[in-house]
mmCIF file of all heavy atoms in Angstrom:
data_model
loop_
_atom_site.group_PDB
_atom_site.id
_atom_site.type_symbol
_atom_site.label_atom_id
_atom_site.label_comp_id
_atom_site.label_asym_id
_atom_site.label_seq_id
_atom_site.Cartn_x
_atom_site.Cartn_y
_atom_site.Cartn_z
ATOM 1 N N GLY A 58 -0.892 -66.186 120.636
ATOM 2 C CA GLY A 58 -0.856 -65.439 119.385
ATOM 3 C C GLY A 58 -1.964 -64.452 119.380
ATOM 4 O O GLY A 58 -2.317 -63.902 118.269
ATOM 5 N N LEU A 59 -2.636 -64.132 120.512
ATOM 6 C CA LEU A 59 -3.738 -63.226 120.586
ATOM 7 C C LEU A 59 -3.289 -61.797 120.858
ATOM 8 O O LEU A 59 -4.043 -60.837 120.758
ATOM 9 C CB LEU A 59 -4.760 -63.629 121.545
ATOM 10 C CG LEU A 59 -5.422 -64.956 121.273
ATOM 11 C CD1 LEU A 59 -6.440 -65.353 122.384
ATOM 12 C CD2 LEU A 59 -6.186 -64.907 119.890
ATOM 13 N N LEU A 60 -2.031 -61.690 121.281
ATOM 14 C CA LEU A 60 -1.465 -60.422 121.727
ATOM 15 C C LEU A 60 0.053 -60.382 121.304
ATOM 16 O O LEU A 60 0.737 -61.432 121.507
ATOM 17 C CB LEU A 60 -1.540 -60.277 123.271
ATOM 18 C CG LEU A 60 -1.307 -58.998 123.981
ATOM 19 C CD1 LEU A 60 -2.314 -57.903 123.495
ATOM 20 C CD2 LEU A 60 -1.396 -59.152 125.507
ATOM 21 N N THR A 61 0.460 -59.316 120.729
ATOM 22 C CA THR A 61 1.844 -59.222 120.431
ATOM 23 C C THR A 61 2.484 -58.093 121.369
ATOM 24 O O THR A 61 1.755 -57.319 121.926
ATOM 25 C CB THR A 61 2.159 -58.808 118.944
ATOM 26 O OG1 THR A 61 1.502 -57.479 118.721
ATOM 27 C CG2 THR A 61 1.618 -59.852 118.021
ATOM 28 N N ARG A 62 3.781 -58.103 121.478
ATOM 29 C CA ARG A 62 4.541 -57.121 122.253
ATOM 30 C C ARG A 62 5.789 -56.785 121.592
ATOM 31 O O ARG A 62 6.396 -57.525 120.870
ATOM 32 C CB ARG A 62 4.692 -57.593 123.709
ATOM 33 C CG ARG A 62 5.537 -58.824 123.759
ATOM 34 C CD ARG A 62 5.654 -59.297 125.216
ATOM 35 N NE ARG A 62 6.284 -60.611 125.293
ATOM 36 C CZ ARG A 62 6.078 -61.509 126.203
ATOM 37 N NH1 ARG A 62 5.329 -61.207 127.257
ATOM 38 N NH2 ARG A 62 6.638 -62.647 126.209
ATOM 39 N N THR A 63 6.218 -55.557 121.913
ATOM 40 C CA THR A 63 7.532 -55.150 121.435
ATOM 41 C C THR A 63 8.632 -55.890 122.174
ATOM 42 O O THR A 63 8.343 -56.504 123.165
ATOM 43 C CB THR A 63 7.727 -53.599 121.635
ATOM 44 O OG1 THR A 63 7.547 -53.291 123.000
ATOM 45 C CG2 THR A 63 6.763 -52.843 120.771
ATOM 46 N N ARG A 64 9.823 -55.837 121.630
ATOM 47 C CA ARG A 64 10.891 -56.578 122.183
ATOM 48 C C ARG A 64 11.167 -56.213 123.669
ATOM 49 O O ARG A 64 11.468 -57.055 124.510
ATOM 50 C CB ARG A 64 12.148 -56.385 121.389
ATOM 51 C CG ARG A 64 13.254 -57.180 121.805
ATOM 52 C CD ARG A 64 14.357 -57.104 120.769
ATOM 53 N NE ARG A 64 14.371 -58.387 120.139
ATOM 54 C CZ ARG A 64 15.241 -58.851 119.320
ATOM 55 N NH1 ARG A 64 16.288 -58.120 119.027
ATOM 56 N NH2 ARG A 64 15.212 -60.005 118.790
ATOM 57 N N ASP A 65 10.958 -54.917 123.998
ATOM 58 C CA ASP A 65 11.200 -54.478 125.375
ATOM 59 C C ASP A 65 9.950 -54.584 126.243
ATOM 60 O O ASP A 65 9.949 -54.178 127.369
ATOM 61 C CB ASP A 65 11.690 -53.091 125.376
ATOM 62 C CG ASP A 65 10.777 -52.000 124.857
ATOM 63 O OD1 ASP A 65 9.621 -52.422 124.458
ATOM 64 O OD2 ASP A 65 11.052 -50.840 124.908
ATOM 65 N N CYS A 66 8.869 -55.161 125.669
ATOM 66 C CA CYS A 66 7.592 -55.375 126.409
ATOM 67 C C CYS A 66 6.849 -54.143 126.848
ATOM 68 O O CYS A 66 6.093 -54.128 127.794
ATOM 69 C CB CYS A 66 7.823 -56.304 127.552
ATOM 70 S SG CYS A 66 8.407 -57.964 127.119
ATOM 71 N N SER A 67 7.193 -53.012 126.195
ATOM 72 C CA SER A 67 6.650 -51.761 126.633
ATOM 73 C C SER A 67 5.256 -51.442 125.946
ATOM 74 O O SER A 67 4.415 -50.801 126.462
ATOM 75 C CB SER A 67 7.574 -50.608 126.300
ATOM 76 O OG SER A 67 7.852 -50.514 124.913
ATOM 77 N N LEU A 68 5.104 -52.038 124.687
ATOM 78 C CA LEU A 68 3.865 -51.870 123.969
ATOM 79 C C LEU A 68 3.298 -53.216 123.599
ATOM 80 O O LEU A 68 3.986 -54.136 123.167
ATOM 81 C CB LEU A 68 4.072 -51.036 122.690
ATOM 82 C CG LEU A 68 4.398 -49.558 122.900
ATOM 83 C CD1 LEU A 68 4.701 -48.912 121.537
ATOM 84 C CD2 LEU A 68 3.221 -48.846 123.589
ATOM 85 N N TYR A 69 1.947 -53.339 123.630
ATOM 86 C CA TYR A 69 1.209 -54.461 123.263
ATOM 87 C C TYR A 69 0.227 -54.141 122.270
ATOM 88 O O TYR A 69 -0.250 -53.019 122.217
ATOM 89 C CB TYR A 69 0.555 -55.113 124.536
ATOM 90 C CG TYR A 69 1.474 -55.685 125.498
ATOM 91 C CD1 TYR A 69 2.272 -54.875 126.370
ATOM 92 C CD2 TYR A 69 1.650 -57.108 125.565
ATOM 93 C CE1 TYR A 69 3.152 -55.452 127.251
ATOM 94 C CE2 TYR A 69 2.571 -57.661 126.468
ATOM 95 C CZ TYR A 69 3.301 -56.822 127.288
ATOM 96 O OH TYR A 69 4.259 -57.373 128.139
ATOM 97 N N ARG A 70 -0.226 -55.095 121.500
ATOM 98 C CA ARG A 70 -1.315 -54.953 120.464
ATOM 99 C C ARG A 70 -2.121 -56.206 120.336
ATOM 100 O O ARG A 70 -1.541 -57.229 120.207
ATOM 101 C CB ARG A 70 -0.690 -54.556 119.132
ATOM 102 C CG ARG A 70 -1.764 -54.320 118.025
ATOM 103 C CD ARG A 70 -1.134 -53.972 116.710
ATOM 104 N NE ARG A 70 -0.850 -52.461 116.653
ATOM 105 C CZ ARG A 70 -1.656 -51.585 116.190
ATOM 106 N NH1 ARG A 70 -2.866 -51.891 115.719
ATOM 107 N NH2 ARG A 70 -1.321 -50.301 116.215
ATOM 108 N N ARG A 71 -3.370 -56.111 120.453
ATOM 109 C CA ARG A 71 -4.304 -57.217 120.199
ATOM 110 C C ARG A 71 -4.223 -57.652 118.781
ATOM 111 O O ARG A 71 -4.198 -56.801 117.804
ATOM 112 C CB ARG A 71 -5.714 -56.797 120.557
ATOM 113 C CG ARG A 71 -6.703 -57.855 120.454
ATOM 114 C CD ARG A 71 -8.045 -57.403 120.881
ATOM 115 N NE ARG A 71 -8.988 -57.300 119.769
ATOM 116 C CZ ARG A 71 -10.297 -57.206 119.872
ATOM 117 N NH1 ARG A 71 -10.832 -57.112 121.029
ATOM 118 N NH2 ARG A 71 -10.976 -57.126 118.798
ATOM 119 N N VAL A 72 -4.035 -58.940 118.552
ATOM 120 C CA VAL A 72 -4.020 -59.474 117.217
ATOM 121 C C VAL A 72 -5.440 -59.806 116.839
ATOM 122 O O VAL A 72 -6.169 -60.516 117.483
ATOM 123 C CB VAL A 72 -3.165 -60.798 117.171
ATOM 124 C CG1 VAL A 72 -3.236 -61.470 115.790
ATOM 125 C CG2 VAL A 72 -1.727 -60.501 117.616
ATOM 126 N N GLU A 73 -5.799 -59.231 115.720
ATOM 127 C CA GLU A 73 -7.164 -59.410 115.183
ATOM 128 C C GLU A 73 -7.318 -60.760 114.561
ATOM 129 O O GLU A 73 -6.755 -60.954 113.461
ATOM 130 C CB GLU A 73 -7.557 -58.263 114.254
ATOM 131 C CG GLU A 73 -7.599 -56.891 114.984
ATOM 132 C CD GLU A 73 -8.416 -56.963 116.290
ATOM 133 O OE1 GLU A 73 -9.584 -57.357 116.292
ATOM 134 O OE2 GLU A 73 -7.814 -56.495 117.319
#
Side-chain angles (χ1 to χ4, degrees):
L59 297 177
L60 192 64
T61 60
R62 62 183 168 205
T63 57
R64 186 168 252 194
D65 66 357
C66 299
S67 62
L68 291 175
Y69 289 77
R70 181 177 278 266
R71 183 175 110 164
V72 175
E73 296 309 308

